[in-house]
């Protein structure tokens, strides 16, 4: 039986009611009913997951945003035999892109077809992450393809003022390098296909991918501003791309770190791939 956990915490009420009505309609159409659990002031996500587990749940579906999915991931990573699904009520999210679902109907179709893949899970310290960890040049817009500071010619003056950040990186306890960067990312999973048709940043290879972007001439930063704003540093000439299972990153005191959707100030990062995997339902758009 499917168990649906609904969290409207970060979604506007007027939109939530309409979107949830559409979801119920699609679930009925595709005959994928189940028990519905809603997050309230009295019942939080861990309690709802525990209730679903005690009921013998084999599939738990997050209905909400990426934060809701990540909460369930954190709770289910240690559980065997439970599949995680996702119906995003927010369009074009990072995780829906990775899973290959586009829109509510597409997500509900994916739940009905129940095509499952085993995904690697990233670790930063003791915390899990599914997509990426960013550090260095970070702001709320860096992952928005059209809204980042690099997307407007009116922000050229800011490009010129960017200061490099010194970092030291150790990979799998062997390779070490030092670099002065303006931004960096460690990626477990990212949606997209390269120019040769190959999947980028596979979440099935047991490795993480490190991207480092060093200070470039202003003309190059302007030319590749969209790639930088979207976190696709590998498209910028002179960027560094490395692969490994474990990374130790040392930066200046209290430099900016973004773990999925959570901002922190850290001077050292310890990242790796968990021995655990998470079974997730994917859509028809999933590649890699």
């Amino acid at each position: 039986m499917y168990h649906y956990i609904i969290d409207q915490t970060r979604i506007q009420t007027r939109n939530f009611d309409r979107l949830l009505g559409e979801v119920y309609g699609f679930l009925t159409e595709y005959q994928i009913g189940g028990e519905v659990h809603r997050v309230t002031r009295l019942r939080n996500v861990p309690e709802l997951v525990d209730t679903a587990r005690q009921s013998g749940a084999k599939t738990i579906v997050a209905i909400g945003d990426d934060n809701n999915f990540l909460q369930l991931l954190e709770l289910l990573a240690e559980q065997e035999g439970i599949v995680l699904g996702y119906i995003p009520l927010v369009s074009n999210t990072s995780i829906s892109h990775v899973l290959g679902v586009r829109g509510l109907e597409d997500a509900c179709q994916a739940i009905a077809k129940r095509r499952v893949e085993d995904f690697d899970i990233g670790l930063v310290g003791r915390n899990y992450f599914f997509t990426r960890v960013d550090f260095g040049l970070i702001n709320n817009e860096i992952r928005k393809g059209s809204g980042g500071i690099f997307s407007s010619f009116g922000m050229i003056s800011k490009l010129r003022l960017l200061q490099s950040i010194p970092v030291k990186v150790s990979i799998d306890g062997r390779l070490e390098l030092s670099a002065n960067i303006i931004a960096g990312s460690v990626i477990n999973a990212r949606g997209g296909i390269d120019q040769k048709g190959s999947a980028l940043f596979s979440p099935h290879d047991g490795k993480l991918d490190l991207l480092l972007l060093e200070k470039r001439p202003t003309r190059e930063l302007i030319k590749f501003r969209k790639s930088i704003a979207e976190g696709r540093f590998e498209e910028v000439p002179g960027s560094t791309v490395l692969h490994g299972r474990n990374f130790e990153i040392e930066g200046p005191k209290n430099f900016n770190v973004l773990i999925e959707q959570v901002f922190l100030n850290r001077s050292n990062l310890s990242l790796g791939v968990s021995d655990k995997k998470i079974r997730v339902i994917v859509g028809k758009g999933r590649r890699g």
Side-chain angles (χ1 to χ4, degrees):
M1 177 183 290
Y2 290 100
H3 287 254
Y4 300 93
I5 294 183
I6 302 172
D7 186 357
Q8 69 178 92
T9 306
R10 302 188 181 195
I11 301 173
Q12 293 182 359
T13 301
R14 62 180 181 179
N15 293 332
F16 174 81
D17 292 337
R18 174 181 59 81
L19 294 171
L20 191 58
E22 292 183 25
V23 169
Y24 286 153
F26 290 131
L27 295 181
T28 300
E29 179 181 348
Y30 295 116
Q31 299 180 346
I32 43 176
E35 292 190 21
V36 176
H37 312 268
R38 296 185 67 156
V39 176
T40 67
R41 292 182 179 180
L42 300 179
R43 303 195 70 191
N44 57 29
V45 173
E47 291 173 332
L48 296 178
V49 169
D50 190 53
T51 297
R53 287 180 55 250
Q54 291 179 14
S55 299
K58 298 299 182 183
T59 304
I60 298 180
V61 180
I63 300 180
D65 62 4
D66 281 1
N67 184 66
N68 190 21
F69 177 93
L70 293 170
Q71 282 185 291
L72 292 183
L73 169 68
E74 191 80 24
L75 294 167
L76 297 179
E78 303 295 332
Q79 305 293 329
E80 295 185 0
I82 298 180
V83 174
L84 176 59
Y86 185 33
I87 300 177
L89 299 182
V90 179
S91 61
N92 197 31
T93 73
S94 297
I95 292 174
S96 64
H97 191 49
V98 169
L99 299 182
V101 295
R102 304 288 188 272
L104 293 181
E105 184 172 9
D106 195 32
C108 292
Q109 282 182 340
I111 299 300
K113 292 180 179 179
R114 207 173 185 276
R115 173 189 162 198
V116 177
E117 291 186 11
D118 292 332
F119 282 78
D120 293 332
I121 309 174
L123 277 171
V124 53
R126 296 182 179 180
N127 299 316
Y128 294 113
F129 69 95
F130 187 69
T131 56
R132 62 193 292 159
V133 174
D134 295 314
F135 52 92
L137 174 66
I138 300 174
N139 57 72
N140 290 327
E141 304 297 328
I142 195 168
R143 296 181 189 174
K144 298 180 182 178
S146 60
I149 65 170
F150 296 97
S151 302
S152 170
F153 284 103
M155 306 304 290
I156 292 177
S157 59
K158 288 191 176 182
L159 297 178
R160 294 173 176 168
L161 295 175
L162 292 178
Q163 298 296 315
S164 297
I165 300 171
V167 296
K168 294 181 179 180
V169 181
S170 173
I171 305 171
D172 293 333
R174 299 190 302 272
L175 177 64
E176 294 187 359
L177 64 90
S178 298
N180 292 311
I181 67 168
I182 57 174
S185 299
V186 175
I187 298 174
N188 177 57
R190 195 184 81 183
I193 300 295
D194 66 17
Q195 294 180 350
K196 297 180 180 179
S198 299
L200 297 170
F201 307 108
S202 170
H204 307 303
D205 60 3
K207 293 183 179 181
L208 300 173
D209 303 284
L210 172 68
L211 302 179
L212 297 177
L213 179 65
E214 298 187 40
K215 187 70 176 287
R216 309 302 302 163
T218 301
R219 63 181 181 277
E220 287 189 13
L221 293 176
I222 295 171
K223 180 179 179 180
F224 294 98
R225 63 192 182 279
K226 189 173 187 294
S227 296
I228 297 173
E230 294 177 349
R232 295 184 282 109
F233 304 149
E234 76 281 359
E235 297 178 359
V236 182
S239 61
T240 300
V241 182
L242 296 169
H243 313 282
R245 187 169 180 85
N246 296 285
F247 291 90
E248 298 289 337
I249 301 173
E250 180 181 345
K253 184 177 180 180
N254 294 330
F255 79 132
N256 290 328
V257 177
L258 178 61
I259 303 173
E260 301 279 15
Q261 300 178 355
V262 179
F263 281 94
L264 298 173
N265 288 321
R266 297 277 182 88
S267 57
N268 294 285
L269 288 173
S270 179
L271 305 104
V273 180
S274 172
D275 293 331
K276 306 287 185 180
K277 286 183 177 286
I278 186 76
R279 305 194 72 207
V280 185
I281 295 174
V282 300
K284 60 186 178 183
R286 168 69 193 153
R287 299 184 183 181

